[in-house]
Amino acid sequence: MTDKPLLRALKRQTVERPPFWFMRQAGRYMPEYRAVRADAGGFLDLCFNVDKAVEVTKQPLRAFGMDAAILFSDILVVPLGLGQKVWFEEGEGPRLEPIASVDDLEAYDPTALKQRLSPVFEVVSRLSKELAEEFEQTALIGFAGAPWTVATYMVEGRSSRNYENVKQWAYGDPASFGRLIDRLVESTIDYLSAQIEAGAEVVQLFDSWAGALDEAGQERWSFAPMAEIAQSLKQRYPHVPVIAFARQVGCNTLKLAKMGCFDALSLDHTVSLAFARDQLQPHVCLQGNLDPLMVVTGGDAMVRAADEIRQAWCDGPFIFNLSHGLIPPTPVAHVDELSRRLRQV
Ligand code: CP3
C-alpha cells in the first residue's frame, strides 16, 4: 500500500495532486461544530470530552474531504497540564493566571502533565482507529504550541498586543527566561511523544507569535527551541514528519529551512511565492499560504489567489493550506468551493 498523499508530500515523493488541509478546519464557522460546542459546556470541556473532540475533528473531513485531520485541542492545554490555571472567557478568549518568574513555575509538577492530558491522547488513539475505517487516505496530525508562543500566554495571561511582560523578561533576563523555555521544550517533547505513541502520523509546532521577536530573539526563543523538540522527536520517531509554523518571520524562514530538522514549513501570506519556491522548497516541503480572509471573501479573488499558490509551488513538495486559521465569519460555501477545486487533479 502506498503512503497517504500528505505523508508522501512530506517525504518529498510525487503525488497525483497537492494534498490540502486548513488550519482551524474544525471550528465556529461550521454549524455542526457550534451544535456540539453548545452541548459541551466550555471550550476546554469540549477539548477533554473524548467522544465530542473526536466528532468535531471528523466534521470537516466529512464536509470537505481534506487530506489531513488535525487533532481537536488547543495549544494552551500544555500550561494547563503543567498546573497553571487556564480558562476561556466566553466571546473573549483565553485567560491564564500569569506567571512572573521561574519560581512560580517551580511550584508545578511536570510529571503530572501526561496524566492530566490523558484525554487528549485518548482522542488521538480513537481518531487513529476511526480514520483507518472511515477516511483511509487521511493523515492524522498532532500538534503543540512552540515554547515561545506558549510562553507569551503563560506570562501575559491572555492574548497580547505588545507582549510587554514576556519580551521584557526574554530581552532583560535571558538566563531565567531560558529556564522557562527549557521547561516547555521538555514538556512539549513528552506531550508530542505521547501523541505519536497514540497514533499521530505527523506533528506540527505552532509558533504563531514568532514575528513579535527581533532577529536574535527569533533564533534564540523560537527557532532553537523548535529545533530541539524536532531533533529529539526525530531520534525517537525517525519516520514521523515535523512541520514548523513560525509566523511572520519573513526571510528568516530561510534559517529554519536550513536547520535540517523540519520536514515542512507552514508559511504565512507575507512570504513571497517566488522566494519560497526558489530558496525554501529545495530544503523543505512548503505548506500554505492562502490568506484566510480570501476564504471569507470567496469568489474570483479566492480562486485566483489559490491557483497562484498552486502554480508557484506544485513542481516541488507542497501541501496547500492557509496562512493562519479559518475565522468564524467564513462562509461554509466558500470552504466548499475551495476544497472542490483543490481536490481536482
Ligand atoms: O482545527 C484545528 O486547527 C485544530 C484545533 C486548534 C485550535 N486551536 C482550536 C480552537 C488548533 C491547532 C489551535 C491552536 C492554537 N490555539 C494557536 C496556534 C494557531 C493560531 O491560531 O495562531 C493559538 C495561538 C491558540 C490559542 C487560542 N485558542 C486562542 C487565542 C483562542 C481564542 C480565539 C478564538 O478563536 O476564539 C483559542 C480558542 C480556540 N482554539 C477555538 C478553537 C476551535 C475557538 C473556541 C470556541 O469554540 O469558542
Side-chain angles (χ1 to χ4, degrees):
M1 204 181 81
T2 58
D3 269 339
K4 299 172 181 184
L6 188 100
L7 301 178
R8 290 183 63 81
L10 286 165
K11 291 176 184 164
R12 319 179 67 86
Q13 296 165 350
T14 51
V15 284
E16 208 185 346
R17 59 158 176 83
F20 75 101
W21 65 281
F22 303 135
M23 289 194 248
R24 289 277 180 99
Q25 60 192 26
R28 285 165 297 188
Y29 77 98
M30 290 187 84
E32 304 92 303
Y33 172 86
R34 294 196 298 269
V36 176
R37 170 82 163 76
D39 284 346
F43 169 66
L44 286 172
D45 298 312
L46 174 56
C47 293
F48 291 118
N49 180 318
V50 176
D51 287 336
K52 288 188 163 60
V54 168
E55 169 59 20
V56 296
T57 304
K58 294 198 292 187
Q59 285 173 343
L61 310 179
R62 270 188 215 119
F64 311 114
M66 288 89 173
D67 295 291
I70 180 158
L71 158 71
F72 187 84
S73 185
D74 197 81
I75 63 166
L76 299 179
V77 302
V78 166
L80 189 93
L82 284 170
Q84 193 169 9
K85 217 165 141 189
V86 179
W87 70 103
F88 279 80
E89 287 292 338
E90 210 51 56
E92 286 189 41
R95 294 285 184 277
L96 300 86
E97 209 163 72
I99 57 165
S101 74
V102 189
D103 297 337
D104 292 342
L105 200 66
E106 299 302 335
Y108 304 152
D109 171 13
T111 60
L113 182 119
K114 276 209 204 162
Q115 179 56 39
R116 288 203 184 98
L117 302 184
S118 61
V120 176
F121 312 129
E122 216 183 310
V123 174
V124 175
S125 147
R126 278 268 305 276
L127 281 168
S128 170
K129 289 195 196 80
E130 294 182 28
L131 292 187
E133 288 157 15
E134 287 177 64
F135 304 96
E136 54 176 20
Q137 288 298 301
T138 307
L140 178 56
I141 304 177
F143 74 91
W148 163 253
T149 288
V150 174
T152 67
Y153 289 97
M154 292 177 79
V155 176
E156 300 294 339
R158 55 189 299 163
S159 302
S160 173
R161 184 177 288 270
N162 295 321
Y163 308 94
E164 285 165 37
N165 302 302
V166 71
K167 284 172 76 169
Q168 287 185 79
W169 185 358
Y171 291 158
D173 186 2
S176 88
F177 188 68
R179 285 168 61 208
L180 171 60
I181 292 294
D182 287 347
R183 169 66 68 84
L184 288 171
V185 166
E186 283 163 33
S187 304
T188 308
I189 292 167
D190 288 349
Y191 179 58
L192 288 175
S193 297
Q195 290 185 30
I196 292 169
E197 302 278 346
E201 298 168 289
V202 178
V203 294
Q204 176 156 330
L205 287 164
F206 286 88
D207 218 350
S208 306
W209 313 129
L213 290 161
D214 66 7
E215 183 175 14
Q218 287 172 20
E219 288 191 32
R220 183 160 184 187
W221 305 124
S222 171
F223 303 171
M226 282 202 288
E228 232 185 292
I229 294 166
Q231 278 154 358
S232 171
L233 293 174
K234 287 275 166 204
Q235 267 177 7
R236 293 190 211 183
Y237 312 102
H239 303 299
V240 176
V242 180
I243 306 173
F245 177 44
R247 208 165 69 86
Q248 284 178 355
V249 300
C251 56
N252 289 340
T253 319
L254 187 56
K255 293 181 192 158
L256 267 179
K258 288 183 173 173
M259 287 176 119
C261 51
F262 305 113
D263 300 272
L265 294 183
S266 207
L267 303 173
D268 68 73
H269 59 256
T270 65
V271 177
S272 137
L273 296 180
F275 165 80
R277 180 194 58 215
D278 298 340
Q279 306 286 322
L280 306 176
Q281 210 170 23
H283 303 283
V284 291
C285 176
L286 306 179
Q287 178 173 277
N289 70 342
L290 184 69
D291 186 341
L293 264 296
M294 281 291 185
V295 195
V296 179
T297 307
D300 285 349
M302 171 181 80
V303 168
R304 227 179 298 124
D307 285 353
E308 262 175 43
I309 295 166
R310 284 209 297 178
Q311 266 158 28
W313 293 351
C314 69
D315 291 334
F318 164 46
I319 298 164
F320 189 96
N321 204 316
L322 308 177
S323 62
H324 205 185
L326 284 167
I327 59 170
T330 310
V332 168
H334 296 176
V335 180
D336 187 45
E337 187 186 353
L338 178 60
S339 303
R340 282 174 198 280
R341 199 164 178 91
L342 296 172
R343 287 201 308 267
Q344 287 166 8
V345 176

